[in-house]
Amino acid sequence: MTCVYQRRTPSTRRYESTAAAPTNPKITTIVDQISQLTLLETADLVSTLKSKLNIPDQPIGNFSSGPAPAAPAPVEEEEAAPAAQEKTLFTLTLKSFDAAAKPKIIKEIKSMLGLSLVESKKFVEGAPKMMKEGVPKEEGQKIVETMKGLGGVVGMD
């Protein structure tokens, strides 16, 4: 069996588009220059842009590998206002599951969160674990009912 490797040359780019979109020539020049940077130069560029544009370092995504960071203590005035309003967005947490239903729970977590099978298995075995944040009430109730029907216990906080 013969393997053929394509050598990457400066003229070939990893993310070349088949359709040419009309863009500003200034932007095209900047993109071409950035695409030729090394990994270290790109990291330096990102950190410089973050500091110049005052962009905070925040993780992106709904999944966390550990416990969520503690929220800052709310001011007393702010605390009174949310108490009057009904909570509309919830955090769903997989609290526990029936051992016999583990394969079904893994399969549901895999499809719901878009994880691989191995990641889903580790996620379920690590229960209690946060599944989703900022979920509307109706969607959260559907997920809770689905997981309950499969043998899982999901908290909606």
Side-chain angles (χ1 to χ4, degrees):
M1 182 163 147
T2 307
C3 293
V4 178
Y5 294 99
Q6 180 182 8
R7 184 177 174 156
R8 189 168 169 220
T9 62
S11 64
T12 61
R13 294 207 171 59
R14 186 181 310 179
Y15 302 106
E16 284 185 336
S17 174
T18 56
T23 58
N24 183 340
K26 185 176 179 182
I27 301 297
T28 305
T29 305
I30 293 171
V31 169
D32 287 341
Q33 290 174 349
I34 290 173
S35 65
Q36 294 175 1
L37 294 177
T38 64
L39 187 58
L40 292 174
E41 292 169 332
T42 305
D44 187 36
L45 173 67
V46 169
S47 64
T48 304
L49 284 172
K50 281 183 178 180
S51 65
K52 184 159 182 105
L53 300 174
N54 296 325
I55 300 172
D57 287 330
Q58 293 181 342
I60 299 174
N62 288 339
F63 310 110
S64 64
S65 58
V75 179
E76 290 181 31
E77 295 173 15
E78 292 177 5
E79 192 172 311
Q85 297 176 352
E86 185 178 332
K87 191 172 181 179
T88 57
L89 297 178
F90 296 87
T91 300
L92 299 178
T93 306
L94 176 64
K95 296 192 183 250
S96 63
F97 58 92
D98 183 25
K102 185 176 174 182
K104 294 176 189 173
I105 301 292
I106 291 171
K107 186 176 179 181
E108 185 64 27
I109 291 291
K110 180 180 182 287
S111 67
M112 187 183 308
L113 302 181
L115 300 174
S116 71
L117 185 61
V118 173
E119 291 170 331
S120 300
K121 182 177 184 273
K122 288 179 181 179
F123 183 92
V124 170
E125 290 172 346
K129 210 160 191 178
M130 187 210 33
M131 293 170 50
K132 287 188 170 189
E133 285 183 308
V135 179
K137 186 174 184 177
E138 293 123 17
E139 182 182 343
Q141 289 173 337
K142 287 179 187 175
I143 293 171
V144 168
E145 289 302 315
T146 302
M147 295 300 279
K148 187 176 180 180
L150 294 173
V153 177
V154 175
M156 199 163 121
D157 304 320

